[in-house]
Short mmCIF file of all heavy atoms in Angstrom, two decimals:
data_model
loop_
_atom_site.label_atom_id
_atom_site.label_comp_id
_atom_site.label_asym_id
_atom_site.label_seq_id
_atom_site.Cartn_x
_atom_site.Cartn_y
_atom_site.Cartn_z
N PRO A 303 -23.83 21.84 20.08
CA PRO A 303 -25.29 21.97 19.83
C PRO A 303 -25.64 21.69 18.37
O PRO A 303 -25.25 22.39 17.55
CB PRO A 303 -25.60 23.46 20.11
CG PRO A 303 -24.33 24.20 20.18
CD PRO A 303 -23.28 23.16 20.31
N ARG A 304 -26.33 20.49 18.18
CA ARG A 304 -26.74 20.20 16.77
C ARG A 304 -27.81 19.14 16.86
O ARG A 304 -28.04 18.57 17.97
CB ARG A 304 -25.56 19.69 16.01
CG ARG A 304 -24.84 18.47 16.59
CD ARG A 304 -23.59 18.17 15.89
NE ARG A 304 -22.92 17.13 16.56
CZ ARG A 304 -21.62 16.95 16.53
NH1 ARG A 304 -20.78 17.73 15.89
NH2 ARG A 304 -21.08 15.96 17.31
N LYS A 305 -28.42 18.82 15.81
CA LYS A 305 -29.56 17.91 15.81
C LYS A 305 -29.13 16.58 15.34
O LYS A 305 -29.91 15.59 15.59
CB LYS A 305 -30.69 18.47 14.95
CG LYS A 305 -31.25 19.74 15.65
CD LYS A 305 -32.64 20.19 15.10
CE LYS A 305 -33.12 21.27 16.00
NZ LYS A 305 -34.05 22.17 15.29
N PHE A 306 -28.07 16.41 14.78
CA PHE A 306 -27.49 15.08 14.32
C PHE A 306 -26.08 14.95 14.87
O PHE A 306 -25.40 15.83 15.00
CB PHE A 306 -27.41 14.98 12.83
CG PHE A 306 -28.76 15.01 12.19
CD1 PHE A 306 -29.38 16.20 11.84
CD2 PHE A 306 -29.46 13.78 11.90
CE1 PHE A 306 -30.74 16.14 11.20
CE2 PHE A 306 -30.75 13.83 11.32
CZ PHE A 306 -31.36 14.98 11.02
N ASP A 307 -25.75 13.65 15.07
CA ASP A 307 -24.33 13.33 15.41
C ASP A 307 -23.74 12.51 14.41
O ASP A 307 -24.49 11.72 13.72
CB ASP A 307 -24.24 12.64 16.81
CG ASP A 307 -24.30 13.55 18.05
OD1 ASP A 307 -23.72 14.55 18.01
OD2 ASP A 307 -25.05 13.21 19.04
N THR A 308 -22.47 12.71 14.12
CA THR A 308 -21.78 11.76 13.21
C THR A 308 -21.40 10.60 14.09
O THR A 308 -20.71 10.73 15.05
CB THR A 308 -20.56 12.52 12.66
OG1 THR A 308 -21.03 13.69 11.97
CG2 THR A 308 -19.83 11.58 11.70
N VAL A 309 -21.76 9.42 13.65
CA VAL A 309 -21.44 8.22 14.42
C VAL A 309 -20.90 7.10 13.50
O VAL A 309 -21.05 7.20 12.31
CB VAL A 309 -22.64 7.71 15.17
CG1 VAL A 309 -23.20 8.77 16.17
CG2 VAL A 309 -23.74 7.30 14.24
N GLN A 310 -20.32 6.12 14.18
CA GLN A 310 -19.92 4.90 13.44
C GLN A 310 -21.04 4.18 12.88
O GLN A 310 -22.03 3.89 13.58
CB GLN A 310 -19.23 4.11 14.50
CG GLN A 310 -17.90 3.43 14.01
CD GLN A 310 -16.81 4.40 14.01
OE1 GLN A 310 -16.57 5.08 14.97
NE2 GLN A 310 -16.12 4.39 12.88
N ALA A 311 -20.96 3.82 11.60
CA ALA A 311 -22.01 3.13 10.93
C ALA A 311 -22.13 1.67 11.35
O ALA A 311 -23.19 1.23 11.77
CB ALA A 311 -21.84 3.24 9.43
N SER A 312 -20.96 1.10 11.41
CA SER A 312 -20.99 -0.41 11.81
C SER A 312 -21.22 -0.70 13.27
O SER A 312 -21.76 -1.70 13.60
CB SER A 312 -19.65 -1.04 11.28
OG SER A 312 -18.61 -0.40 11.89
N GLU A 313 -20.85 0.26 14.03
CA GLU A 313 -20.95 -0.04 15.46
C GLU A 313 -21.84 1.12 16.18
O GLU A 313 -21.46 1.61 17.20
CB GLU A 313 -19.57 -0.05 16.14
CG GLU A 313 -18.67 -1.18 15.62
CD GLU A 313 -17.31 -1.11 16.34
OE1 GLU A 313 -16.54 -0.46 15.84
OE2 GLU A 313 -17.28 -1.90 17.36
N HIS A 314 -22.84 1.46 15.42
CA HIS A 314 -23.70 2.51 15.83
C HIS A 314 -24.11 2.46 17.30
O HIS A 314 -24.08 3.46 18.04
CB HIS A 314 -24.92 2.50 14.94
CG HIS A 314 -25.80 3.67 15.01
ND1 HIS A 314 -26.87 3.89 14.36
CD2 HIS A 314 -25.67 4.78 15.84
CE1 HIS A 314 -27.38 5.03 14.67
NE2 HIS A 314 -26.69 5.59 15.67
N HIS A 315 -24.41 1.27 17.78
CA HIS A 315 -25.01 1.10 19.08
C HIS A 315 -23.85 1.13 20.13
O HIS A 315 -24.08 1.19 21.26
CB HIS A 315 -25.76 -0.16 19.12
CG HIS A 315 -24.99 -1.37 18.69
ND1 HIS A 315 -24.66 -1.57 17.37
CD2 HIS A 315 -24.38 -2.35 19.37
CE1 HIS A 315 -23.90 -2.66 17.17
NE2 HIS A 315 -23.77 -3.11 18.47
N LYS A 316 -22.63 0.91 19.68
CA LYS A 316 -21.52 0.81 20.58
C LYS A 316 -21.07 2.16 21.22
O LYS A 316 -21.21 3.14 20.64
CB LYS A 316 -20.31 0.16 19.84
CG LYS A 316 -20.48 -1.27 19.64
CD LYS A 316 -20.05 -2.12 20.83
CE LYS A 316 -20.33 -3.60 20.61
NZ LYS A 316 -19.40 -4.08 19.62
#
Side-chain angles (χ1 to χ4, degrees):
R304 60 186 170 210
K305 293 192 171 157
F306 292 88
D307 279 317
T308 301
V309 299
Q310 219 76 48
S312 57
E313 297 180 273
H314 189 177
H315 54 286
K316 284 273 177 70

